[in-house]
Amino acid sequence: MQERLKLQHFLTIKKLENDQVEGLIDRAEYFKAGGAVPEFSQPIYAVNMFFENSTRTHCSFEMAERKLGLQTIPFDPTTSSVNKGETLYDTLLSLNSIGVSLAVVRHSKNEYYNELVNLDNTQKLDMGIINAGDGSGQHPSQCLLDMMTIHEQFGHFKGLKVAIVGDLTNSRVARSDMRLLKQLGAKIYFSGPEYWYSSEFEEFGNYVKVDELIDQMDVIILLRVQHERHQQEVAFSPTAYHSEYGLTVERYARMKENAIIMHPGPINRGVELASELVEAPKSRFSTQMKNGVFMRMAMIEAVINGRGLGGKK
Ligand code: CP
């Protein structure tokens, strides 16, 4: 049996080997099938710190922590001493001092976690950091739950044709998914407004117009148009976007029989995806959210094991 993954922190998918990804998927599928959770002889205290808005990731991590038997300490960034100017490091040092040993953090700054994990010998912070999304950088838990959802449908990645469609420039989900999917052997295509495709993505795949790829793809990953991250918003018409780049009912009818649609959420209904397709047979939107809890359990467990938390079983 493959040894279970052990990590000090879970920050990015960039250093994961394929067999480690497969191990995480296996473990998440085990939890999903009702497999027993590990028993800990000492309590493990965790905190979820979301400095950017979130529904899925925040609640899903909290559900995963509860299912694993962790004690979650409430933290509200809007009423915390961050608003008095306390740094992220000092905030975590405070929580660590009162007994918290795991922090799930979402932050608008790319690689915010460097200051929390690259410590000098005067710094005493001793916490596992799990990245719940950093700016336009990485979203490891969304990426891994996406891999689990694709694996559940096809049983493999090699040779699958995957289109990533929409606001590529601003998407940490796209950046994480394209890298891991390519590493796992899938073939990546990009679509949506061409101005959101840049040379940064060329090593992963080419740009193709949505109408030219729709009947060829096994997986279509739609991205939310992230208006809040656009520096200068050109006049945006939801109807025009939907008709030119969105997954319309007409395009849905042209998809391969076994193909699936994914979307990390939140969905702009009628923009990236026709509202009536959100729960259509090919949509895996709800499955992704369901799988997220079990994948996050596997990720948290990897950090618990890496740091030797919870005492002896
Ligand atoms: N997919 C995702 O990150 O959703 P939330 O922003 O609601 O967490």
Side-chain angles (χ1 to χ4, degrees), residues 297-312:
M297 289 171 74
M299 292 171 69
I300 293 167
E301 184 186 47
V303 179
I304 288 173
N305 290 341
R307 301 183 78 82
L309 301 175
K312 297 229 181 311

Side-chain angles (χ1 to χ4, degrees), residues 44-243:
I44 303 170
Y45 295 98
V47 65
N48 299 315
M49 306 172 77
F50 280 69
F51 296 96
E52 280 191 333
N53 295 344
S54 170
T55 297
R56 272 148 294 275
T57 314
H58 192 161
C59 295
S60 177
F61 264 115
E62 181 137 353
M63 182 64 89
E65 288 154 7
R66 289 180 189 216
K67 280 180 182 271
L68 285 171
L70 274 57
Q71 308 286 326
T72 305
I73 302 299
F75 175 85
D76 176 1
T78 63
T79 56
S80 76
S81 289
V82 168
N83 295 319
K84 300 178 198 164
E86 190 166 37
T87 64
L88 184 57
Y89 179 88
D90 286 344
T91 303
L92 281 159
L93 187 64
S94 309
L95 291 163
N96 195 197
S97 304
I98 63 169
V100 177
S101 52
L102 281 178
V104 175
V105 183
R106 170 173 286 189
H107 203 283
S108 58
K109 187 177 163 198
N110 284 29
E111 299 186 8
Y112 68 82
Y113 45 75
N114 285 336
E115 65 169 301
L116 308 175
V117 302
N118 300 327
L119 305 180
D120 66 37
N121 57 14
T122 67
Q123 294 177 295
K124 304 280 188 293
L125 185 66
D126 183 19
M127 278 177 112
I129 309 297
I130 300 178
N131 181 14
D134 61 297
S136 59
Q138 288 268 310
H139 196 338
S141 64
Q142 180 69 45
C143 175
L144 287 163
L145 75 87
D146 285 351
M147 299 308 118
M148 178 181 176
T149 306
I150 293 170
H151 190 267
E152 232 171 35
Q153 177 76 11
F154 299 100
H156 68 97
F157 297 93
K158 209 151 195 68
L160 289 180
K161 292 184 175 178
V162 181
I164 306 180
V165 182
D167 193 347
L168 298 161
T169 311
N170 294 294
S171 177
R172 53 196 172 208
V173 177
R175 280 191 180 76
S176 309
D177 280 5
M178 68 180 80
R179 182 173 294 277
L180 199 48
L181 281 165
K182 184 174 179 214
Q183 182 183 311
L184 291 164
K187 189 156 171 43
I188 313 296
Y189 302 81
F190 296 103
S191 199
E194 207 163 346
Y195 50 82
W196 282 333
Y197 177 78
S198 72
S199 55
E200 177 195 352
F201 306 122
E202 278 169 4
E203 64 172 297
F204 301 103
N206 294 326
Y207 178 87
V208 182
K209 285 191 189 316
V210 75
D211 281 312
E212 289 168 24
L213 56 69
I214 201 78
D215 59 353
Q216 306 291 319
M217 297 297 111
D218 299 298
V219 181
I220 297 181
I221 299 174
L222 301 168
L223 302 172
R224 181 174 71 87
V225 180
Q226 299 191 47
H227 296 284
E228 75 278 14
R229 293 193 202 275
H230 297 166
Q231 303 290 330
Q232 283 179 314
E233 182 78 281
V234 284
F236 181 83
S237 159
T239 321
Y241 184 96
H242 187 59
S243 131

